[in-house]
């Protein structure tokens, strides 16, 4: 999942959902054991990542975040780095407290 409201688009995470094969058979009208169903499923579910064309300073900032000042090429000053990493909400940890909270929806 990407936040496309910012430039460059920000990768937020991966979304997944477990679905029973019976539901796929009903939706796609194929037997779960057939290669046709697998081919249709792959064709219908293939997503595309957004085209990201970062500026030189955005790339420099990503290098800085990954490896510090020694990982940069020196094309931008630190003060000129764009803020492409979202700021954290104060006093709000980004780690989940209950990994099983979504099991009630089964």
């Amino acid at each position: 999942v990407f936040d496309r409201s910012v430039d460059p688009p920000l990768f937020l995470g991966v979304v997944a959902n477990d679905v029973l094969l019976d539901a796929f058979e009903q939706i796609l009208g194929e037997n779960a054991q057939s290669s046709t169903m697998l081919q249709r499923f792959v064709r219908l579910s293939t997503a595309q990542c957004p085209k990201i064309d970062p500026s030189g300073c955005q790339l420099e900032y990503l290098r800085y975040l990954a490896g510090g000042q020694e990982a940069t090429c020196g094309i931008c000053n630190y003060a000129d780095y764009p803020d492409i990493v979202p700021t954290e909400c104060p006093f709000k940890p980004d780690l989940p407290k209950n990994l099983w909270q979504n099991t009630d929806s089964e």
Side-chain angles (χ1 to χ4, degrees), residues 26-105:
Q26 185 177 1
I27 292 168
L28 298 176
E30 299 283 346
N31 183 311
Q33 303 298 321
S34 74
S35 61
T36 306
M37 179 179 158
L38 178 60
Q39 290 170 355
R40 278 186 75 190
F41 178 70
V42 169
R43 188 179 73 246
L44 293 171
S45 65
T46 302
Q48 293 183 347
C49 295
K51 181 180 183 285
I52 298 175
D53 190 19
S55 70
C57 284
Q58 288 172 333
L59 282 174
E60 191 80 344
Y61 187 52
L62 292 173
R63 290 184 191 109
Y64 177 79
L65 290 173
Q69 191 64 40
E70 61 274 4
T72 64
C73 297
I75 61 171
C76 296
N77 294 325
Y78 178 76
D80 296 333
Y81 287 165
D83 189 19
I84 61 173
V85 176
T87 57
E88 296 177 13
C89 296
F91 311 111
K92 294 279 187 177
D94 60 350
L95 299 174
K97 290 185 170 81
N98 180 0
L99 294 176
W100 298 104
Q101 84 185 63
N102 292 321
T103 58
D104 293 339
S105 63

